[in-house]
Structures are given as structure tokens and as C-alpha cells.
Amino acid sequence: MEKNTRSIRIDCPKLLITRNESDLQWLIGSPFFPPLTIISTFRCIHSNSSGPDFPKESEEIRTLLLKGFDVIGALIVGKSDPEKTAARAVEAARKLKKLLTGTTKLENEETIGAVADPDTGDIRFFLSETESSTNFELVNPVSYGDNPEKFVWESGCLLLCQLPIKLPVCYPANKPSDAESIFSRAIEAVIAKFKDPNVVYLVKASNRASLDVVQPVILRGSELGFDAAVANIELLDEAAQNSEKKLLRCAHFCLKSKSTSQLLSAENADIIQISVLLNRSEKSPKCSAPAVEYFPAMDETRLLIVDFKLEVLCYAVQGIPLMHAISKLIIPGLIDQLISMKKMNLPYLLTQHPELHPYHFCPPGIAHPVTVIYELNYGETEMKQVDARRSLHLRLGLPFDRPLLRIANSLDLSIKSRSSNLSTRKGSSLLKDVHIGIPGSGVSGGSVSLVQGSYEYYHYLQDGFDDSGWGCAYRSLQTIISWFRLQHYSSVDVPSHREIQQSLVDIGDKDPAFIGSREWIGAIELSFVLDKLLGVSCKVINVRSGSEVPEKCRELALHFETQGTPIMIGN
């Protein structure tokens, strides 16, 4: 790209600028995006007096960051010489990327060094073209994308590979210290199998919402390409028709057409399922009977079975050939996740093994999923697990007062039709998030303040229940409680009208005759029920007329920014 056409594109809602000088953040991009496109940032949370703790940082980010995304630079908050600070940021980003990729030299890779002023929040972006270059080019202009999800998912898809492994480890009973080295060699043997010519990769579409039937495709290890770097892979367009299985595009397994009203997000992305199989039945020139080899142990031996439940999620654009999607994304993802789980198992190899499981999340403000490995032997409320989630919230710039990374919030990657958005309520299908897609007000220079998270939309006459003319507040309360359920603050079922009335009788606000009546309730009664059922406190704002509501706009906007829950308005 010519220098006079260079520009930085930022496709994340905001960079995590703090007033803490020397705060370091990793800038995340993708080889599938235009150069110098920042899609998210991860905060550096492990450092010492000499700078970032690169081994710890790389170990955690290797697990967290999906294959298909890369560290493309770093941002440092500071007031010192901008160019020198940018040089430190570039150096740090390159050190981290070398550890993540396992290379000693980055060939001709551009790296961004960004410097943020802690007082004004202004950011200056510098570019280092190669590792040997000592010059830093100030990059201008900087553009901000207005719809990161659309940018990521309009031509992107997810690759999912689930692989359970039961790994037997035999070690001498009189030398338990050998168990670790034997376990490590067993892991290396599994890693070597992923590139074995006889390994078979079965590829199929896992969510089809149309009548098109796409047959699964089988690729052998011998048909994969391991040499080309992801950035150098030639993407194929729709016109490129190729009969070779390995050159099929990922788009072959994606929906050919999508509804224009469909929300572009990780939850609605096309998912391509990839299974790993070991082919033991190659054609033989002659028939032979099955054979069993017996290797007797010379000394008393103990057997360990270590369970791995690998679940790798990768991001790819639809134009990438299938052979490269497997060799450059899925296989490295399996290897990295296996090594991460190996390190988590090693301290407990001869005792109780951790029960490890990967989960994938798409938290607010981040347009792409992240992967977290949780230890299921701990309850989610135990301090070790709470501390792990707090550390993740810090790295991702998430608020600490919301359960965004609990297991219940993980992405549902089950094989299902995504043609309809079914409610979590049994026997009912409700609209969700009905504010999405409503045209703007047209107010010049105005800002929009919205509920954060999902809710179900309750209205008169749903479920065959006639509450026309008196059920407004009941339905508002049901909508609010659905928000707390869908954000996993509560598992309390959305109450019926009768259950709401019973709650008000139980606390003494109403007489028993109120149950089964068609008597109205208002904001005060809503606050009583929320307190009883969920333990949630409310604030009631009184206005004398609708014309006074604009006076409360700043207060309402602050609520949506800091709390994000729905607001009920009644008269």
C-alpha cells in the first residue's frame, strides 16, 4: 500500500484508554481484514519492573484469541516522547507475536505502535514496516467503523472442531517422577498425528436454515497445505469453481442467501463443523488377518487415563480454501489448546485431574468470540473461579458488576436451525430485542441510549390470556424479569399475572381478594415484586406529565450507560 493511502481503521466501539501511564494494550486484527484494521484490544495484565511478562501474556492470549485473529500492534498510555513510546509498543507487540506463533523472526510484517495521551485521550498511530526498520511513520487519517459486527460477519464464518481424547499414560510404579516426561511425549505424539497423512478431516455444515443439502466433504492429511502463511493464502471469489475438494471455499458450507433483517453477529454466524478421524483402513495389496502386538512391561507399571475435551473455534472468511482453513486454523488451534490443557494438568498428574472444558463468549464491545478454559471442579462462585473471571474482565475491559463470562453466557454452538429465534420459555415463541432495527429519530447531533443485553417482548393477549386494558404493567414486569433471566442474573421463571398478584399478597401490599382480579398495578407494585422475586431494588421517578420527561433524559441516559436494565414507563 502506498504511503499516501495508508490509514488506520478502528472497528471496535472504543479503545480502552485509561489515565494510568504506561498502561499497555495489545491491538488485535486479522490477516483476512484490510491492513492496519484494529478489531479489538486486550489489556496487558501481567508485567513486572522491566515490562510485560511475555510468557504469561502469550500463554493466556493463545487460549483467548481465536485462530484467524492476530496481534498487530500495541498501544501505550504515556506523555513521554511519542516516537520513542511507539517504538516500545512495536517492540512489545513483536515479542508477544513471536511467542504466539513460535517463530524467531517476523518477515516483512507491519506493526502498529500507538501512543495515547492520558489527559486528553488523543491517540497517535505509528507504523513500523519491518522488524529491521528503525523508522516510524505517523499514520493519518484514522477512520472508525460504525458497525463492527457487520464488518466481521458479513463475509466471515466460524469453524468448530470438537475432539474428545482419552490419553493413556503408563509409567513405572517405582519411578513416579517419570510420569511427567512420559505424559509430555504422549502429547507430542498426539500433536504429530494431526498432520499425519492418514488422518481424515470430515467437514460439514452444522446449521442449515434453507432447503439446500450440502454433502459432507472428506479431506486427508496428505491433501492439506502446511507451507503458506495465512496472510499469503489466495482467497477465492464466487466465480472460482473448482472440483477439487481441497480447493472448495468455506462459502460452500455457508448459507447462500440470508435475510436482510438477520442480525450479523457471532450468535448468527455460519458454523462449519470439522471432525478429526484416524483412517486405519488404507487399501492393502494383499489380504491379512488382524494382528495384535503385545509388549510386556519389565517392571510394575501404573496406568493413567487423562481426559481432554478439545473444542476449538476459529474465524475465517468464506473465500479461504478448505485445505488452508484446516491446516492453518483448525490444526494450530487444536495444538495450542492441547498444550494449554497439558500445562494445566501437569501439576495434578498423579492426583485428581482437573476437569477442563473450553467455552466461547462474545461479550459486549467485542465483535468476535473469545475462548476460555474453565476448571469445572470449582463452582462458579468459588473464589478461584471468581478471580479467574475478574482477571478476564480486566483484560477485556469489561465491567466488574455483571456476570458476562459465566458458563451460562457462553455461545450456544449446538447443531440447530437458525431460521427462527426461539424463546427460552417452554411452549412459547416470543420476539426478542424489538428495539433493534427501529429507524432513528432524526434528531441532529443526538445520541442514543439503549438497554444493554437481550430481553423478551411481552404484550397484551400473549399465551391466550386476555389482559387487554389492564395488563400493561404486568407485561412490562415480565419483560424486565426476562432481561434478568437472559443475562443470567437470575434463574427465576418469568411470573404469570396470578403469580405477580400472589407476590403482592404475600408481602402484605394487597388483600387476598386481589388474586385473580383484573386490577391494575403500577411502578410501585413492580418495584415490590422485583425486590421479592429477584432481590433487585428500583428507583421510581415521578413526573407530572409527559412534557416533563425530557428533563429526566440525562438521568435516564446515565442509567442505560451504567446499569443497562430496561425502564418501565407508565401513567
Side-chain angles (χ1 to χ4, degrees):
M1 185 183 296
E2 294 178 4
K3 291 190 177 183
N4 59 3
T5 63
R6 289 178 184 272
S7 66
I8 298 286
R9 178 186 171 106
I10 300 176
D11 263 285
C12 49
K14 56 184 178 180
L15 297 180
L16 307 174
I17 304 304
T18 69
R19 293 187 176 273
N20 179 20
E21 290 206 39
S22 299
D23 186 22
L24 174 64
Q25 294 164 44
W26 309 114
L27 306 179
I28 307 301
S30 171
F32 302 125
F33 299 159
L36 313 184
T37 299
I38 301 169
I39 197 64
S40 65
T41 65
F42 291 173
R43 182 171 283 128
C44 173
I45 61 173
H46 297 297
S47 59
N48 49 45
S49 57
S50 60
D53 186 332
F54 289 102
K56 276 189 177 180
E57 285 290 298
S58 63
E59 190 171 321
E60 291 187 8
I61 291 178
R62 181 180 286 110
T63 299
L64 201 63
L65 191 60
L66 269 59
K67 297 298 179 186
F69 295 100
D70 287 331
V71 172
I72 62 171
L75 179 149
I76 294 180
V77 179
K79 295 181 73 70
S80 56
D81 184 302
E83 192 161 329
K84 288 183 179 178
T85 305
R88 287 196 292 117
V90 166
E91 182 184 10
R94 285 185 171 138
K95 280 186 179 179
L96 179 66
K97 188 162 185 177
K98 286 177 183 178
L99 288 174
L100 291 173
T101 57
T103 59
T104 57
K105 188 173 178 60
L106 301 175
E107 295 290 344
N108 300 324
E109 287 200 19
E110 296 177 323
T111 305
I112 300 171
V115 183
D117 188 300
D119 297 328
T120 65
D122 293 337
I123 308 174
R124 301 176 72 182
F125 293 90
F126 295 84
L127 183 65
S128 174
E129 293 186 338
T130 63
E131 191 172 4
S132 59
S133 174
T134 57
N135 296 323
F136 293 87
E137 173 193 345
L138 180 63
V139 182
N140 211 14
V142 176
S143 62
Y144 288 81
D146 57 358
N147 193 338
E149 283 77 15
K150 181 180 180 182
F151 178 77
V152 173
W153 299 110
E154 199 162 38
S155 61
C157 61
L158 290 172
L159 312 174
L160 174 66
C161 182
Q162 297 165 312
L163 179 62
I165 298 175
K166 284 188 176 292
L167 187 64
V169 179
C170 296
Y171 67 94
N174 60 350
K175 292 187 68 178
S177 59
D178 287 356
E180 286 193 11
S181 61
I182 295 171
F183 175 59
S184 296
R185 289 198 296 272
I187 294 288
E188 290 169 5
V190 173
I191 290 173
K193 280 292 181 187
F194 291 140
K195 299 183 180 181
D196 191 301
N198 292 326
V199 168
V200 170
Y201 293 89
L202 174 67
V203 187
K204 61 182 180 180
S206 64
N207 58 317
R208 304 302 301 181
S210 69
L211 297 178
D212 298 334
V213 177
V214 178
Q215 295 300 320
V217 169
I218 291 177
L219 286 178
R220 300 182 184 277
S222 57
E223 297 175 295
L224 304 180
F226 293 98
D227 297 329
V230 177
N232 297 330
I233 293 173
E234 182 182 355
L235 302 181
L236 305 177
D237 57 26
E238 292 183 24
Q241 300 291 335
N242 201 303
S243 59
E244 284 191 75
K245 294 180 298 183
K246 64 182 182 179
L247 292 179
L248 282 176
R249 302 162 68 235
C250 284
H252 179 76
F253 298 93
C254 299
L255 289 179
K256 301 299 183 290
S257 61
K258 299 182 181 180
S259 167
T260 54
S261 63
Q262 185 175 9
L263 183 65
L264 290 168
S265 66
E267 291 87 349
N268 296 306
D270 288 299
I271 299 178
I272 301 173
Q273 181 89 33
I274 298 174
S275 303
V276 185
L277 307 170
L278 183 59
N279 182 11
R280 294 287 193 184
S281 56
E282 285 289 324
K283 290 183 179 180
S284 175
K286 60 180 181 179
C287 296
S288 59
V292 175
E293 292 185 275
Y294 172 55
F295 298 95
M298 304 305 294
D299 300 304
E300 183 183 352
T301 303
R302 299 278 168 83
L303 173 65
L304 289 175
I305 303 292
V306 184
D307 278 330
F308 294 96
K309 295 181 176 66
L310 303 185
E311 185 175 290
V312 169
L313 195 65
C314 303
Y315 173 82
V317 288
Q318 296 180 13
I320 188 173
L322 202 55
M323 58 179 285
H324 294 305
I326 294 173
S327 63
K328 306 308 294 186
L329 300 174
I330 287 293
I331 291 177
L334 288 169
I335 292 172
D336 281 353
Q337 195 169 101
L338 187 60
I339 291 174
S340 295
M341 288 189 175
K342 166 199 162 185
K343 291 178 179 177
M344 297 171 80
N345 267 290
L346 270 176
Y348 310 98
L349 191 58
L350 300 181
T351 57
Q352 182 181 8
H353 297 160
E355 187 180 348
L356 305 174
H357 195 287
Y359 292 94
H360 315 285
F361 299 90
C362 205
I366 301 177
H368 60 83
V370 294
T371 299
V372 179
I373 299 175
Y374 281 149
E375 157 64 291
L376 300 187
N377 286 328
Y378 301 121
E380 287 200 292
T381 58
E382 289 190 30
M383 282 311 299
K384 190 161 186 178
Q385 196 75 309
V386 170
D387 288 343
R389 290 203 308 275
R390 184 179 291 115
S391 174
L392 287 166
H393 276 242
L394 178 62
R395 185 179 290 285
L396 299 174
L398 303 175
F400 292 99
D401 58 350
R402 301 179 193 186
L404 299 173
L405 298 179
R406 286 196 173 187
I407 291 172
N409 276 320
S410 60
L411 289 175
D412 181 7
L413 301 175
S414 57
I415 299 175
K416 63 181 180 181
S417 169
R418 305 200 175 194
S419 59
S420 61
N421 198 358
L422 297 180
S423 163
T424 57
R425 292 178 77 236
K426 293 181 180 178
S428 176
S429 179
L430 301 179
L431 296 173
K432 285 173 66 177
D433 307 334
V434 294
H435 65 281
I436 295 176
I438 294 176
S441 65
V443 176
S444 177
S447 60
V448 178
S449 300
L450 291 175
V451 62
Q452 298 180 29
S454 291
Y455 59 89
E456 293 173 323
Y457 179 56
Y458 286 78
H459 201 267
Y460 299 125
L461 304 177
Q462 284 177 340
D463 303 326
F465 184 78
D466 184 4
D467 59 346
S468 179
W470 63 274
C472 174
Y474 291 88
R475 297 297 188 174
S476 295
L477 177 58
Q478 290 175 328
T479 298
I480 291 171
I481 291 178
S482 77
W483 184 93
F484 282 93
R485 280 178 53 80
L486 292 175
Q487 269 53 245
H488 304 291
Y489 282 105
S490 174
S491 58
V492 171
D493 287 334
V494 174
S496 65
H497 293 58
R498 191 177 186 89
E499 288 168 336
I500 292 170
Q501 292 172 340
Q502 182 68 58
S503 296
L504 292 170
V505 171
D506 290 345
I507 64 174
D509 181 66
K510 303 291 185 184
D511 294 328
F514 175 65
I515 299 175
S517 71
R518 294 192 166 202
E519 187 177 330
W520 288 15
I521 60 174
I524 297 297
E525 287 87 353
L526 261 66
S527 69
F528 292 161
V529 177
L530 285 169
D531 182 57
K532 174 175 172 54
L533 295 183
L534 305 184
V536 170
S537 60
C538 302
K539 179 179 180 180
V540 177
I541 301 175
N542 292 304
V543 293
R544 287 171 294 185
S545 67
S547 62
E548 290 187 6
V549 172
E551 298 175 12
K552 305 293 183 181
C553 281
R554 291 189 184 277
E555 190 172 353
L556 295 176
L558 181 64
H559 166 86
F560 284 123
E561 181 180 339
T562 58
Q563 305 300 319
T565 62
I567 290 177
M568 176 263 194
I569 298 180
N571 62 0

